[in-house]
Amino acid sequence: MKLRNIVILLTLLLVTGTFTAQAATDGIYSLGDNAVTWDGTDADRTKAVSTDYNFTYGDEESLTYTLPWNFSFYGQSYSQITVDTNGNIWFGATTAANSFSLPAAGRGPVSAAWNDDLSSVYDGGVFIQHKTNPERVVIEWRTETYTDEGNDRPNSFEIVLFQNGNIRFDYQSFAAANSKDFGSGISKDDTTHYLSVTANYANVYTLAVRSFSFTPAGSGTALVTVDFTGTGQGSVTSTPSGIACNTDCSAPFTSGNEVTLHPEASLYSYFGGWNGGGCSGTGDCIFSPSTDTTVIATFTYDVSHQVLIDTGTPTYYSSIQSAYDTTAEGTTIKLWATIYNESLACSRPVTVTLQGGYNSGYTAIVGDPVLNGALTITDGTLVLDGFSIQ
């Protein structure tokens, strides 16, 4: 192909918007040019603040926002972010900054959509909105440069954080007369790991109606599902975050990356073990899913310790009746604050106290035990100390 034809072909690709620059990478993220996308927020200063919507405005203002789920950025999990009116998201710092070095801001990890001195004193602001399907948090800036402040020269851009760790920069429009770009993009703030939209494309204020994505390396996702079974109760949490539940649940994780599932038994239960994901035993389940994976967590009600007679040496029983049948005169039988599905027949010439209801370690009374059955007394005395019959 002649040189003239090559030039014409490149010109057509650029005009039609189908030309995609080769992705850059810092070894942790890849930066690519997206099809044009705009998400937006309600961008309303009068709208009520909630867990799903917040905003601030002014000059050098900042807002700390609790995320609806933990977000992984450069290998660290964050439950909250701080956004400022200068076009930045800080993952650690809690105040505003501008015109900093992207590779080494000296303030911790940052996602800088437009690294300039910006202001929204007269109009606009920075708006945060949680959206679903897919799960994402949109941070939208409507702002002027500080030197244009009050001259009605608005600029509109956004960052979208996705639950799976992806990040998108969208630039909608720029009207600035005085603008600078000190290096916009993402950075771990370690001088080594950063990706600059400015360096790889152009000053961001020239990139209106453009979108760019930052994708974690190996960012294909695998859906991890935790199913619960057994007679007991408990919860499972994950590292990285995503799973935190006590009933069947699922969450996407980066394919091939290590996931740790941690079990925690509820009161009066114990963790019986794992099945699936290559896991077994009663410790943490650690695996690296490459495809959708289901792991079963078994929690068992600890029936063998639900009744205690302690006369110096603790002796546990699985039922009130079995404990009563062995008691001596004046014995106190300690019970959990739980439901006992049995009947109790007292027919011995002894005085026995039923006392409860205790926590699982019998160190404190936390409620009442309940007998879900018949109580029959034909001999002896039964003293009820915190006890009910259903």
Side-chain angles (χ1 to χ4, degrees), residues 114-268:
W114 185 9
N115 185 3
D116 194 6
D117 189 2
L118 307 177
S119 175
S120 50
V121 169
Y122 293 93
D123 193 18
V126 53
F127 304 89
I128 306 174
Q129 191 162 351
H130 169 221
K131 296 187 175 184
T132 58
N133 298 319
E135 280 285 329
R136 64 203 187 279
V137 171
V138 182
I139 303 95
E140 178 185 359
W141 286 266
R142 295 190 178 187
T143 181
E144 296 178 294
T145 66
Y146 180 73
T147 49
D148 288 342
E149 187 179 75
N151 291 324
D152 193 24
R153 294 187 174 275
N155 310 281
S156 183
F157 55 95
E158 69 182 8
I159 294 177
V160 184
L161 305 179
F162 293 89
Q163 188 179 15
N164 65 2
N166 290 345
I167 305 168
R168 198 180 70 224
F169 284 16
D170 303 323
Y171 299 103
Q172 188 178 50
S173 61
F174 295 92
N178 300 283
S179 52
K180 297 180 181 179
D181 185 349
F182 291 85
S184 304
I186 65 172
S187 174
K188 190 178 180 182
D189 194 28
D190 63 356
T191 73
T192 301
H193 299 97
Y194 66 96
L195 277 173
S196 173
V197 174
T198 310
N200 283 281
Y201 293 93
N203 290 327
V204 297
Y205 54 81
T206 70
L207 300 176
V209 199
R210 298 283 297 275
S211 295
F212 303 90
S213 61
F214 298 87
T215 307
S219 64
T221 59
L223 188 70
V224 173
T225 298
V226 176
D227 286 346
F228 288 75
T229 188
T231 57
Q233 296 180 326
S235 62
V236 173
T237 55
S238 68
T239 304
S241 64
I243 286 176
C245 55
N246 56 14
T247 58
D248 297 352
C249 63
S250 300
F253 292 90
T254 301
S255 180
N257 282 12
E258 185 176 274
V259 175
T260 299
L261 300 178
H262 175 70
E264 188 73 33
S266 298
L267 200 65
Y268 314 132

Side-chain angles (χ1 to χ4, degrees), residues 12 16 22 29 45-46 101 186 235 244 272 291 315 329-330 332 360 386:
L12 287 172
T16 59
Q22 183 176 0
Y29 285 89
R45 286 186 181 185
T46 66
S101 166
I186 65 172
S235 62
T291 59
T315 304
E329 169 65 28
T332 296
S360 58

